[in-house]
Amino acid sequence: LTGGQNLTVDNTYAINWTPKGTYPGTVKIDYYNGTDWERIAEDDNSTSVGADTINQSFNWVIPDNVLTNSRIRISTQTGCSTIDSSVNSTTDFKLIGKVVIVSPNSTTTLYTADKYNITWNSNGTFPVRIRYSNDSGATWKNITNVTSNDGAANKYEWTVPDEKIDTIVVNISDNRSSFTPLVTNLSQAFWIKPNVTLSSPVAGLRVPANDTT
């Protein structure tokens, strides 16, 4: 891993290193979690340092810890402090979430004032902003700010606004400015129509033929 990358929670990335010299024992692989170094979950203390000048690789599943300033540290564990060494990645990389809107979609028709569940899938747990546009994204109207949960069927009950248009889109994005351009998803366009309620005649009403009252 090199600096400047954006690594998505729950996805797998390769950590690569090349030893110089011959070391017995294993390596310890840590990542910076925003406050301290933490051993990555997949490192079970059995990863070999590797042979001299031969590139080594280790697969890392990104944890649910969204942050802007992570790094990797690899340390030898020979049991001898005089030859043990460690190396850090030299530039920060980001651990980011991901959102994918499930509904609404192009088959959705909503009616003003109805309740409707906006649903989405999420990689990572982080704050999101939900908003909608009635002009193809030129301007946006806020719906709510909530927390998106990793691996969960996320939903928010929306009271459908009075828009009466067929080009409504919903956007869900990370609600922090450093992540918003990286973690965002736009729904397909859908309808909002007026909600008409028939008040009469009512069930059971008997209306005489030719009666206009």
Side-chain angles (χ1 to χ4, degrees), residues 54-67:
I54 302 301
N55 186 58
Q56 307 296 311
S57 184
F58 187 91
N59 287 332
W60 180 31
V61 179
I62 305 305
D64 182 11
N65 184 16
V66 175
L67 70 159

Side-chain angles (χ1 to χ4, degrees), residues 1-6 70-71 89-94:
L1 294 172
T2 58
Q5 293 173 290
N6 302 312
S70 189
R71 296 192 183 197
S89 52
T90 57
T91 309
D92 292 344
F93 53 82
K94 290 184 173 71

Side-chain angles (χ1 to χ4, degrees), residues 81-210:
S81 59
T82 58
I83 65 171
D84 270 330
S85 64
S86 66
V87 61
N88 303 349
S89 52
T90 57
T91 309
D92 292 344
F93 53 82
K94 290 184 173 71
L95 306 185
I96 65 173
K98 180 180 179 180
V99 290
V100 177
I101 297 172
V102 177
S103 60
N105 53 53
S106 61
T107 66
T108 301
T109 298
L110 304 182
Y111 295 89
T112 299
D114 278 359
K115 303 291 186 181
Y116 178 80
N117 282 331
I118 298 171
T119 62
W120 69 96
N121 296 324
S122 176
N123 291 36
T125 302
F126 50 94
V128 294
R129 173 180 60 191
I130 306 176
R131 54 187 183 165
Y132 77 94
S133 174
N134 59 9
D135 53 12
S136 301
T139 59
W140 292 95
K141 299 180 182 181
N142 198 56
I143 296 174
T144 192
N145 299 323
V146 294
T147 297
S148 189
N149 293 300
D150 182 44
N154 293 278
K155 69 178 181 180
Y156 176 77
E157 187 179 74
W158 182 31
T159 301
V160 180
D162 185 12
E163 290 290 357
K164 300 181 290 294
I165 195 170
D166 65 348
T167 56
I168 298 288
V169 290
V170 164
N171 169 255
I172 301 178
S173 59
D174 192 309
N175 198 28
R176 296 163 296 177
S177 59
S178 59
F179 290 101
T180 299
L182 305 173
V183 184
T184 185
N185 191 238
L186 191 68
S187 76
Q188 298 170 319
F190 59 94
W191 274 96
I192 291 181
K193 294 183 177 181
N195 198 345
V196 179
T197 301
L198 183 65
S199 57
S200 63
V202 297
L205 180 66
R206 296 181 179 182
V207 181
N210 299 320

